[in-house]
Amino acid sequence: MTTEALALIVFVPLLVAAGMVVLPRSWLGLLIRIGLLPLPFLLLIPTMEVVDNGAYRVVLAGHDSPLGIVWLLDPLSLLMLWLNVGITLLVSLHASFSFPPSDQPARRFWPLWLILFASMNALVLSADLFNIYVTLELVTLAAIGLIAVEGKPAALRAAMRYLLLALMASLLYLLGVGLIYGQTGVLDLYLIAEHLEPAWLTITALALMIVGLLIKSAIFPLHAWLPAAHGNAPGPVSAILSAMVVKVSVYIIWRLWFWTAGDWDLDSAATLMGILGGLAIVYGSVAALVQQRLKMIIAYSTVAQLGYLMLLFPLASTLAFQAASYHLVSHGMAKAAMFLAAANILRSVGSDRLSRLAGIDQRLPLDVFALALAGVSIMGLPPSGGFLAKWLFLEAAREQEAWGWLVLVAASGLLAAAYLFRVLAVMCLHPRRRLRSDRRRRAPNLASVAAILLAVGAIVAGFASAPVLDLVAAGLPPGLAP
Amino acid sequence: MSAVAAVLLPLTLMLLFPAPDRLRRLAIGLTPWSGVILFWPLLDQASASFSWPLLGITLGVDAVNQPLLLLTALAWNLSAWFAWNTIDRDRRWFWSGWLGALSGMSLLLLSGDLATFYIGYALLSLSAYLLITHEHNDHAWRAARVYLVMAFVGEAAILGGILLLAGNIGNAEFATFPDHAQTLASSPARWLLLAGFAVKMGIMPLHLWLPLAHPVAPVPASAVLSGVIVKAGLLGWLRFVPGLDQDPAWIGWALLGAGLWTAFAGVVIGLTQQRLKTVLAYSTVSQMGLVLCAFALTFLVPDQRDSLLGVIGLMALHHGLNKAALFLACGSSLTIGRAGRTLFALPALSLAAFPFTSGYLAKNALKSFMETTPAGGVLVTLLALTSTATALLLWHAWALAGRTRSRNPSLQPSWALMVLAGIFLPWAWALVTGLVDPPRLYLLWSATSPLLLAAALAWWAGRLGWQARGQIPEGDLVVLVERLARSLPGLIAQREIRHRARPGLLPHLQRIQALYEQHQRSVQATGLASLIIIGLLWLLLWV
Amino acid sequence: MMDLLLFWTPLLLVVVSALTGIVIFIAGERKARLRIILNLLAAVLKVLMVVLIGLLVLAGHTPEFRISLVPGLDLVLRADALSLLFATLSAVLWLVTTVYAIAYLERSPNRARFFGFFSLCVAATMGISLAGNLLTFFIFYELLTLTTWPLVVHTGTATAIRSGRTYLRYTLSGGVLFLIGLIWLYGITGPQDFIAGGTLAEHDLDHRLSLQIIFVLLAVGMGVKAAIYPLHRWLPEAMVAPAPVSALLHAVAVVKAGAFGLVRLVEDVYGPELVAGLGMDLPLLLAAAFTILYGSVQALRQVDLKKRLAFSTVSQVSYIVLGIAVGGPLATIGGIVHLVHQGLMKIILFFCAGIFGNLLGIKYIHQLDGVGRRMPWASACFTVGALGMIGLPPVAGFVSKWYLGAGAVAVGREWVVAVLVTSTVLNASYFLPVLKRIWLNPPPDQWPDEVQVSRIEIQALVGSAMVAALLALGVGLLAGHPLSPLSWATAIVTEYFP
């Protein structure tokens, strides 16, 4: 039952995507619904399975690894699945307005969208290194396609650079996989550990894979592709890129680090990872502060926020795991909300240059509201999911008396406040604030509602944390479980 | 009830001024009579106590405040009538100040505990400001400013003292003070309180405001200021700084010294003044010095403290009524004939302690106590000399009065009544309280001789054509203080803070970030960075 | 039924204003009438609910709302005597300020935004007053920062935006220190509810140094909002906000939140004994004393009326801190009761400054000449507030000062009296000249910028100032009454010093 449900979760969107290419255009709307709407209900079945019995291993098509497809459904991957499904659904709500099935680009957009969705689901479930490689490639390619889907020059350039760097990253990763396979003959993420000794070759492999993934998750200073790509992509694409796509790569690094290499002594390397994270936070925030375009600000904000996820490595404890996962959840919702709101604003004004956004709150109050609410979570101010994540991080740091990380996490909210309040001040309070006459299309209200829903979700996450945190606590890597 | 009414009536009338027409007219009509209500608590020896208003309020009449209540009731009311006929502009402000001051005065007179006294005192001090500024000219503003500064310096000392007491004994009633003698004696609060009330009394050198403020106020206001309001300080002393058995004698001597110094110095400066009201104000300073002498005796002859209180009451009554009468004289005119001249002369003689006047009574009583102190002989002589000094000063005033023109030369009945009250009331009081000694010849002589000396000096000065050369400015030391204050550094110079727009860090950050992005954007840069990180990671993983 | 009531009422008290704010946002700019009705309704409702909770507390119940944010971390809203004192103050002043604000902003733009955040701001204040532990307090404390920012920058001028930036810089940085201290404290003790007398005494031996550092962190975090020197810079700058905001900011919301937090910190988290034991009371006391004098001197130097009032707030709020830092029952009563008294008096002053500014265009003190003749009632209110600030009886300020001074002497800190007295003199020297100008100087031929407004507007403006003035007089005059704030504070303090 669970196996079938999981398979459906991955393959239904894929099949629908194929159907979209084949079937006439008038079917598009229906197909979108078929591809997306049943998924939350399907997801209930594995959820119950995990809640009742814990981790669940799926072997598809009867072949165990290394040849077949092996999935592992544990609490963490379940969380990722829910997050992906939830955010994708809400963003799709927005996308159904920005890419209405009747329009021309919709035929290119929606298949890619569903492929991206399906491959991310497959990625978080994948339990062997090669499968991960394949799904990761799929994710990247679909994302690149989506960035360029409208065919704007800037977006094309950004997609191109993304493509180049992603290819390089894939190569690094693949090299690592090859080395490990050569060493052990095993690809299963959770079995390698038994065969793997920290020899120089395996270490090289690990370093290659991790850096490859770091490029894909745009961790400073390997973030070069992200701002342009996220800043120029269509709204829903930016949202899903920032909320999910970069996160799944980090998720894989976690898997490698804590499961595959779980019993190694990684302290000094972990510090390096933490420092990269810290640099990302500082650099991303400062860069966001000096941007002139709204979407670029949000994109750099993503660069900064990804840094928090790296803090898990040096802190490495139950609390830190909960913190990082919760940050993943709340940032996902908040950032998606911000990009959607920004997309609505861009659509309405025709530009997202800050200098042109003065007084926008009168025209698009809902979107500005969503932006502000999501901003609260990004800044880590209570009450919001961002705050709880920050709180857990702080608690984790204090528990280990890691004062440096503690101060970094506590103070970094100020940086976020600096760039976000700059945006809000311009939007709501500019001295030249007047209603402009160049009223263009006004984004349909439901598009704003999607943004609002996500933003409210980020806030509500500040109150209803128990299910998520319990889930994470149940799915700790073996080394960390109490 | 009666005590509450005495406090609240003036206040209510004041608050009714902005009321609708009919009520207002009623309030204004009642205003000049508002002092009369003070007789009520006097008559029924009222006492009242409430816990809910403020910090708890206790009101009552006792031996200490009785003569002052009497003085206030009479002097205030007579002055009010005078004011009713003479104040012709800005009446609302004047009467607001007047009623506020009356209410404050009543409250502090009747008060039976620390906080209540302070409340009355504060109300009085603030309301008096309105009386002093009534003329709205530069003199008035300056005097009022000096008054306010000094009043607040005094108020600050008093507040500090009261808080120090309150920390130890709470909002105690005055009646319980003997139980706290030990606390009181050791607390620095007494010194603060002594100094604070001395400001109101005009004891040198804290008198700075008095010779400025009393003269600039309208005539009836001057009368109550000089006659009655200064006595608030006296009551403060009596209430808060009672002589205690533990007190060393030097406190008494020090106070006595200050009192005598004030008594003489006030006269000397007063003699150089050329304005009648200023001369009278300095006379008040000098007379308060005498009162301080009497107060000092409570420390020197502890066993006769109670009877000394009677003498002090008598002095207050005597000086208050007579000084008020003299000030009212300034508002009438001496050119209106013999009656006017007599009305001026009578209180003047009384102040100079002419035999059988109330001043004579008071001085005799004081003398009898001074004789019992160790340095009795010297003190008595000095006391006699104060009469000489006062006589000279009032002679000077008399001379000035002859030259002064008044604005409205009419004979106010309230003035005459005040003079009469000044003659008879202290006598009546002395009789009631048993302070009258049978007349003795040597007493008569010792009272007359200083006056003869004064007459001789005055005659001699007149013969030599001696005139005070170079006038000491009104308010003497205040001129120096003002100059000092003006040269204070710009510590409290007022200014507006203006912000200059600064470019801040942002442009720099922008430049740096742009530069970084430019180089970072190339694929090679990322490749290089990844290589470095791989290397680092590798090293660290190995370690 | 009773249980339900006890559980939900604290939350409702917070939610009622929050909902009002949200509905106002949704209703939008045009629906002025709906907005007014809603505002007033919510304000009245809130007062009634506070009364209800007060009755419940008097009857011996403890209304408490509790949900878990993270397992082990609770959001607690609880009504005890202290929180009720602050909640009552906020509810009453909010009602008054709402009336005032409606009239004040009658013709200005962006009213929906203003009133929306205005309501949210009060919701946050309510949350602060009802917070049952430090975490809850922190959450609402930060929320308050967020919701007041739009109010501070409401006018949208360059100055306003700059002030808003300063405001955020200070308050958010304070929040960070607060958060670090909070995390650290919870690490040592685990989550703890506020308990009269504090809960930390047992940890004194093992964690003395940590507790000291944590105290400093938390005190600085709250001190930013309480505008203790040198953390006060934002307050005078925040003066650019519209008058009702300044009034609320200075009287109940932001500044008071900081002071209230310090009360909680000293009395309910550490406990006065431990604070003294750790040697933290003297630094706090010195900071408060210095701020009192510094604020007064700065106020003296200002020529802008609202700036003068702002520095006066800097000085006055430190009275509260002074009271709790001195320790001992009397001074603590003085500090706590000054929470209420200062609020009432300051709100009058800002109301009046707003009236003068809005109707006559008066900004500077020298322009106040003769205002008393033009606007006698508003001027009378101003006078009451100013006299109260000086500490002259019978206005409420006197009562606080009395308790502070007497309390300091009672615990052997006589020098505090000198501070209080000096501050009284300084207060007098910056308020009395203003009063003299208002009442005794001749009015000018023409006011700087006189506007014609309708009668009802003036009545609403002056009326709310008068209500506040009557309250300030009332709580002073009736200080000894069993229902007065003073008696209330006394009852609270007897718990701390049994």
Side-chain angles (χ1 to χ4, degrees):
Chain A
M1 186 71 180
T2 312
T3 313
E4 286 79 12
L6 285 176
L8 283 176
I9 286 172
V10 173
F11 290 111
V12 164
L14 277 182
L15 287 174
V16 170
M20 282 173 179
V21 179
V22 179
L23 294 170
R25 197 155 120 196
S26 50
W27 289 53
L28 192 55
L30 181 68
L31 283 175
I32 294 171
R33 289 189 184 90
I34 295 175
L36 290 171
L37 288 182
L39 291 198
F41 304 101
L42 280 175
L43 202 48
L44 286 176
I45 299 164
T47 307
M48 260 134 66
E49 172 68 29
V50 170
V51 167
D52 291 344
N53 305 326
Y56 182 82
R57 203 175 159 85
V58 185
V59 180
L60 285 185
H63 295 286
D64 209 339
S65 72
L67 286 175
I69 298 177
V70 181
W71 285 349
L72 183 82
L73 179 72
D74 71 350
L76 196 59
S77 44
L78 183 70
L79 177 68
M80 293 299 285
L81 277 181
W82 269 113
L83 188 64
N84 191 24
V85 168
I87 291 185
T88 305
L89 271 179
L90 282 171
V91 177
S92 301
L93 183 65
H94 184 276
S96 63
F97 287 92
S98 41
F99 292 96
S102 50
D103 274 14
Q104 188 51 40
R107 278 182 76 85
R108 294 198 297 276
F109 173 83
W110 283 104
L112 283 172
W113 184 251
L114 286 171
I115 292 171
L116 178 68
F117 176 54
S119 47
M120 276 198 290
N121 286 342
L123 175 61
V124 296
L125 284 169
S126 294
D128 77 88
L129 294 177
F130 191 71
N131 250 322
I132 289 176
Y133 169 72
V134 174
T135 43
L136 204 56
E137 273 318 86
L138 262 178
V139 169
T140 312
L141 291 176
I144 290 170
L146 282 169
I147 293 172
V149 77
E150 282 181 330
K152 287 182 192 158
L156 282 175
R157 266 200 307 277
M160 206 53 212
R161 190 173 316 122
Y162 184 16
L163 181 65
L164 275 175
L165 288 175
L167 275 179
M168 185 164 86
S170 305
L171 282 178
L172 287 175
Y173 178 81
L174 198 58
L175 203 56
V177 174
L179 282 175
I180 286 196
Y181 190 61
Q183 284 275 300
T184 61
V186 180
L187 282 176
D188 187 305
L189 206 53
Y190 309 95
L191 296 179
I192 301 170
E194 296 164 20
H195 302 271
L196 210 56
E197 291 300 315
W200 75 269
L201 212 57
T202 43
I203 285 176
T204 315
L206 198 62
L208 287 173
M209 287 198 292
I210 287 175
V211 172
L213 290 167
L214 283 180
I215 296 177
K216 292 222 168 183
S217 42
I219 301 299
F220 179 87
L222 309 175
H223 67 283
W225 60 271
L226 184 141
H230 289 204
N232 292 311
V237 180
S238 306
I240 208 71
L241 281 178
S242 265
M244 288 310 302
V245 173
V246 284
K247 304 282 178 56
V248 288
S249 317
V250 180
Y251 163 85
I252 299 299
I253 304 182
W254 289 355
R255 286 287 188 192
L256 281 176
W257 194 278
F258 290 104
W259 274 266
T260 307
D263 38 4
W264 296 9
D265 176 22
L266 295 174
D267 284 353
S268 12
T271 311
L272 175 68
M273 300 289 267
I275 289 173
L276 287 184
L279 289 176
I281 295 175
V282 174
Y283 173 76
S285 306
V286 172
L289 188 61
V290 300
Q291 296 306 311
Q292 299 297 337
R293 282 179 46 206
L294 178 58
K295 284 188 75 172
M296 287 305 272
I297 291 175
I298 304 175
Y300 271 109
S301 161
T302 301
V303 172
Q305 296 284 315
L306 286 171
Y308 287 99
L309 300 181
M310 302 295 285
L311 295 184
L312 172 59
F313 299 106
L315 292 175
S317 64
T318 311
L319 273 172
F321 233 96
Q322 289 179 320
S325 317
Y326 212 69
H327 186 270
L328 210 143
V329 173
S330 58
H331 174 254
M333 290 193 278
K335 197 42 74 62
M338 285 183 118
F339 266 120
L340 294 187
N344 293 340
I345 291 170
L346 179 65
R347 237 171 110 94
S348 169
V349 181
S351 157
D352 64 343
R353 292 211 152 266
L354 283 186
S355 54
R356 295 199 50 197
L357 297 186
I360 193 71
D361 63 323
Q362 288 173 330
R363 264 162 74 190
L364 301 169
L366 278 182
D367 296 300
V368 175
F369 186 59
L371 204 63
L373 270 191
V376 171
S377 180
I378 298 282
M379 285 184 259
L381 290 176
S384 69
F387 169 68
L388 275 194
K390 187 161 140 185
W391 175 273
L392 291 167
F393 266 125
L394 289 173
E395 233 178 325
R398 197 212 48 77
E399 190 184 52
Q400 301 171 30
E401 309 201 329
W403 303 116
W405 299 128
L406 190 139
V407 171
L408 174 75
V409 173
S412 55
L414 290 180
L415 292 170
Y419 60 77
L420 286 173
F421 273 108
R422 174 166 170 256
V423 172
L424 290 177
V426 169
M427 283 184 172
C428 309
L429 303 155
H430 204 272
R432 280 184 276 117
R433 173 193 150 87
R434 281 283 165 269
L435 275 178
R436 287 170 188 279
S437 51
D438 58 344
R439 271 176 184 270
R440 292 223 196 149
R441 286 174 294 170
R442 197 187 141 85
N445 268 333
L446 263 177
S448 306
V449 166
I452 288 276
L453 281 178
L454 280 164
V456 168
I459 296 292
V460 169
F463 293 98
S465 64
V468 175
L469 293 180
D470 291 345
L471 203 61
V472 176
L476 290 175
L480 288 183
Chain B
M1 171 65 197
S2 56
V4 177
V7 175
L8 286 187
L9 176 76
L11 209 58
T12 319
L13 292 180
M14 180 174 100
L15 293 179
L16 282 179
F17 281 177
D21 252 0
R22 184 177 290 176
L23 262 177
R24 187 178 65 211
R25 239 173 273 142
L26 178 73
I28 291 176
L30 278 175
T31 296
W33 294 91
S34 51
V36 176
I37 188 126
L38 271 177
F39 285 113
W40 186 11
L42 254 183
L43 287 178
D44 73 352
Q45 294 292 308
S47 74
S49 181
F50 307 92
S51 68
W52 50 266
L54 288 154
L55 304 162
I57 283 185
T58 315
L59 301 172
V61 178
D62 60 12
V64 181
N65 62 14
Q66 230 164 358
L68 295 176
L69 276 169
L70 191 61
L71 166 67
T72 309
L74 258 177
W76 211 290
N77 219 43
L78 291 174
S79 307
W81 292 345
F82 192 97
W84 188 252
N85 292 330
T86 54
I87 300 294
D88 45 13
R89 50 173 206 85
D90 260 346
R91 297 171 69 112
R92 185 182 283 190
W93 276 125
F94 179 83
W95 288 112
S96 299
W98 184 268
L99 290 171
L102 176 56
S103 179
M105 190 76 197
S106 313
L107 186 61
L108 82 91
L109 286 178
L110 289 166
S111 66
D113 60 293
L114 297 183
T116 312
F117 187 94
Y118 178 74
I119 294 163
Y121 198 82
L123 181 55
L124 174 68
S125 297
L126 270 190
S127 310
Y129 179 81
L130 290 180
L131 299 178
I132 295 170
T133 55
H134 181 75
E135 294 296 335
H136 283 243
N137 54 27
D138 289 347
H139 283 299
W141 290 130
R142 168 166 173 249
R145 194 165 56 239
V146 174
Y147 164 74
L148 209 56
V149 170
M150 288 300 290
F152 261 89
V153 168
E155 200 94 349
I158 293 168
L159 179 64
I162 290 186
L163 287 181
L164 284 177
L165 286 185
N168 289 320
I169 60 177
N171 183 18
E173 292 179 18
F174 296 125
T176 65
F177 266 33
D179 309 338
H180 303 299
Q182 196 59 48
T183 323
L184 292 180
S186 60
S187 170
R190 330 181 69 188
W191 305 106
L192 286 171
L193 290 164
L194 264 177
F197 289 121
V199 173
K200 181 106 340 186
M201 294 278 282
I203 300 302
M204 289 205 179
L206 301 172
H207 67 293
L208 304 181
W209 64 276
L210 196 148
L212 287 179
H214 287 192
V216 298
V219 167
S222 304
V224 290
L225 275 169
S226 236
V228 185
I229 293 180
V230 285
K231 306 298 187 300
L234 174 63
L235 185 68
W237 280 345
L238 295 176
R239 292 290 197 203
F240 287 91
V241 202
L244 299 169
D245 297 334
Q246 294 95 322
D247 284 331
W250 64 265
I251 298 181
W253 291 113
L255 291 177
L256 198 63
L260 286 169
W261 157 252
T262 306
F264 287 111
V267 169
V268 171
I269 301 174
L271 278 174
T272 70
Q273 301 302 321
Q274 298 305 321
R275 286 208 318 171
L276 177 54
K277 285 173 88 178
T278 314
V279 174
L280 292 179
Y282 272 108
S283 160
T284 299
V285 172
S286 157
Q287 293 287 314
M288 287 303 109
L290 275 185
V291 174
L292 175 56
C293 290
F295 176 69
L297 286 179
T298 60
F299 290 83
L300 292 174
V301 280
D303 43 341
Q304 306 207 34
R305 221 171 265 145
D306 291 338
S307 30
L308 255 174
L309 285 182
V311 176
I312 293 174
L314 177 63
M315 289 176 83
L317 201 56
H318 143 73
H319 170 258
L321 290 168
N322 286 313
K323 187 52 66 61
L326 280 177
F327 265 107
L328 290 189
C330 305
S332 309
S333 175
L334 303 185
T335 53
I336 51 176
R338 187 170 294 160
R341 246 166 278 155
T342 317
L343 285 180
F344 188 90
L346 281 174
L349 284 175
S350 179
L351 280 179
F354 195 76
F356 304 115
T357 60
S358 52
Y360 164 79
L361 257 183
K363 278 224 168 119
N364 272 346
L366 191 58
K367 196 187 291 173
S368 64
F369 286 102
M370 278 193 170
E371 278 163 352
T372 61
T373 59
V378 183
L379 288 182
V380 170
T381 316
L382 284 173
L383 188 65
L385 282 178
T386 60
S387 299
T388 312
T390 306
L392 279 174
L393 188 59
L394 290 171
W395 176 257
H396 180 52
W398 171 264
L400 283 177
R403 283 182 259 145
T404 310
R405 290 276 171 274
S406 173
R407 272 203 307 226
N408 42 352
S410 62
L411 189 95
Q412 296 287 342
S414 46
W415 176 26
L417 282 173
M418 189 78 89
V419 173
L420 286 179
I423 294 171
F424 293 111
L425 205 65
W427 265 103
W429 178 259
L431 283 172
V432 170
T433 49
L435 285 170
V436 186
D437 287 335
R440 296 215 187 86
L441 207 57
Y442 87 91
L443 282 180
L444 214 57
W445 167 243
S446 66
T448 330
S449 52
L451 298 183
L452 290 178
L453 179 61
L457 283 174
W459 176 78
W460 190 41
R463 270 299 288 274
L464 293 179
W466 185 81
Q467 279 282 326
R469 239 166 261 197
Q471 187 187 359
I472 295 180
E474 286 181 13
D476 48 276
L477 283 177
V478 83
V479 181
L480 293 179
V481 176
E482 277 178 325
R483 202 169 296 161
L484 220 100
R486 231 170 275 138
S487 62
L488 263 186
L491 173 69
I492 50 169
Q494 298 187 341
R495 74 202 159 84
E496 191 177 11
I497 305 168
R498 286 191 190 284
H499 294 278
R500 241 173 272 121
R502 278 171 305 172
L505 217 55
L506 209 62
H508 298 290
L509 284 179
Q510 252 158 359
R511 216 170 309 133
I512 294 169
Q513 204 263 339
L515 205 68
Y516 179 81
E517 273 315 284
Q518 214 177 341
H519 293 287
Q520 170 70 16
R521 203 165 280 172
S522 68
V523 176
Q524 290 94 319
T526 307
L528 191 66
S530 8
L531 278 183
I532 293 173
I533 293 175
I534 292 172
L536 277 175
L537 253 183
W538 193 87
L539 270 178
L540 291 172
L541 283 169
W542 189 244
V543 171
Chain C
M1 179 63 201
M2 195 64 189
D3 285 348
L4 274 180
L5 195 68
L6 289 177
F7 187 76
W8 288 109
T9 38
L11 182 68
L12 272 179
L13 197 58
V14 176
V15 164
V16 107
S17 329
L19 272 184
T20 314
I22 291 168
V23 174
I24 288 173
F25 279 131
I26 293 171
E29 185 68 28
R30 301 270 157 71
K31 304 206 170 122
R33 179 162 305 195
L34 173 73
R35 189 167 56 231
I36 291 174
I37 292 172
L38 211 61
N39 262 322
L40 291 176
L41 212 65
V44 172
L45 188 64
K46 172 155 290 200
V47 173
L48 291 180
M49 283 174 63
V50 170
V51 171
L52 170 71
I53 293 185
L55 290 178
L56 286 175
V57 171
L58 274 184
H61 300 290
T62 313
E64 181 181 288
F65 169 83
R66 183 184 286 269
I67 58 164
S68 164
L69 289 183
V70 173
L73 274 188
D74 289 349
L75 180 100
V76 182
L77 293 171
R78 190 175 50 191
D80 59 12
L82 181 58
S83 54
L84 209 52
L85 184 73
F86 192 41
T88 313
L89 178 75
S90 317
V92 170
L93 291 190
W94 187 38
L95 179 58
V96 178
T97 312
T98 304
V99 175
Y100 181 86
I102 290 171
Y104 186 90
L105 293 167
E106 180 59 26
R107 270 177 297 278
S108 65
N110 299 324
R111 275 172 293 162
R113 183 178 79 195
F114 179 88
F115 282 105
F117 280 112
F118 191 66
S119 297
L120 288 182
C121 174
V122 175
T125 311
M126 279 294 156
I128 284 177
S129 67
L130 292 175
N133 59 22
L134 213 48
L135 174 74
T136 316
F137 184 88
F138 175 75
I139 289 176
F140 285 105
Y141 191 75
E142 293 287 74
L143 208 56
L144 184 66
T145 307
L146 288 180
T147 49
T148 36
W149 178 74
L151 298 176
V152 171
V153 294
H154 180 74
T155 50
T157 57
T159 329
I161 292 179
R162 192 179 46 233
S163 308
R165 205 179 303 144
T166 313
Y167 171 68
L168 284 180
R169 255 179 220 162
Y170 275 81
T171 47
L172 289 179
S173 309
V176 166
L177 294 183
F178 192 153
L179 183 59
I180 294 176
L182 183 58
I183 281 280
W184 197 342
L185 185 67
Y186 272 22
I188 291 177
T189 66
Q192 299 264 3
D193 283 356
F194 289 143
I195 289 176
T199 50
L200 298 184
E202 53 184 303
H203 302 284
D204 183 19
L205 288 178
D206 302 342
H207 301 281
R208 194 177 171 80
L209 181 65
S210 300
L211 285 183
Q212 282 168 333
I213 299 175
I214 293 169
F215 186 87
V216 172
L217 285 172
L218 293 177
V220 169
M222 293 166 180
V224 169
K225 284 222 170 97
I228 294 177
Y229 182 90
L231 313 169
H232 67 284
R233 276 272 312 285
W234 61 272
L235 184 60
E237 285 195 32
M239 278 310 74
V240 292
V245 176
S246 307
L248 208 64
L249 226 63
H250 282 248
V252 279
V254 177
V255 179
K256 259 339 147 35
F260 181 74
L262 281 168
V263 175
R264 283 286 195 204
L265 176 67
V266 172
E267 309 296 343
D268 289 344
V269 177
Y270 273 71
E273 273 175 39
L274 182 59
V275 171
L278 292 172
M280 301 316 291
D281 55 341
L282 192 62
L284 191 60
L285 180 57
L286 288 176
F290 183 78
T291 311
I292 290 176
L293 298 180
Y294 171 85
S296 306
V297 172
Q298 284 298 327
L300 196 57
R301 300 176 63 171
Q302 305 304 317
V303 290
D304 181 322
L305 179 59
K306 282 179 87 180
K307 276 230 171 83
R308 182 169 286 195
L309 296 182
F311 274 111
S312 155
T313 306
V314 171
S315 162
Q316 291 281 331
V317 169
S318 278
Y319 276 49
I320 303 167
V321 184
L322 184 89
I324 52 164
V326 163
L330 279 181
T332 311
I333 293 176
I336 291 178
V337 83
H338 201 57
L339 264 176
V340 178
H341 290 170
Q342 193 266 352
L344 291 173
M345 296 184 301
K346 209 14 110 19
I347 212 164
I348 311 173
L349 292 175
F350 272 104
F351 279 173
C352 294
I355 294 172
F356 299 149
N358 210 11
L359 301 186
L360 300 178
I362 289 171
K363 183 169 187 296
Y364 295 102
I365 288 163
H366 66 82
Q367 296 169 327
L368 281 168
D369 285 352
V371 168
R373 283 181 219 181
R374 177 74 176 68
M375 299 188 155
W377 288 108
S379 304
C381 296
F382 189 90
T383 309
V384 169
L387 294 183
M389 282 292 165
I390 300 173
L392 287 173
V395 192
F398 167 67
V399 177
S400 331
K401 206 166 270 185
W402 177 278
Y403 271 87
L404 289 174
V409 174
V411 296
R413 288 184 158 138
E414 276 88 0
W415 60 272
V416 173
V417 173
V419 174
L420 290 176
V421 167
T422 315
S423 143
T424 305
V425 172
L426 287 170
N427 291 351
S429 47
Y430 65 77
F431 270 128
L432 290 182
V434 179
L435 294 185
K436 185 219 153 197
R437 277 187 188 281
I438 290 179
W439 291 113
L440 298 176
N441 282 13
D445 299 329
Q446 196 187 354
W447 299 102
D449 179 20
E450 191 168 357
V451 287
Q452 292 300 321
V453 292
S454 68
R455 218 179 140 70
I456 183 146
E457 243 171 275
I458 296 184
Q459 279 169 350
L461 290 173
V462 178
S464 27
M466 284 174 64
V467 169
L470 286 179
L471 282 173
L473 270 176
V475 296
L477 267 177
L478 304 180
H481 192 272
L483 282 179
S484 72
L486 180 65
S487 312
W488 207 336
T490 313
I492 293 169
V493 170
T494 42
E495 276 184 50
Y496 302 143
F497 299 92

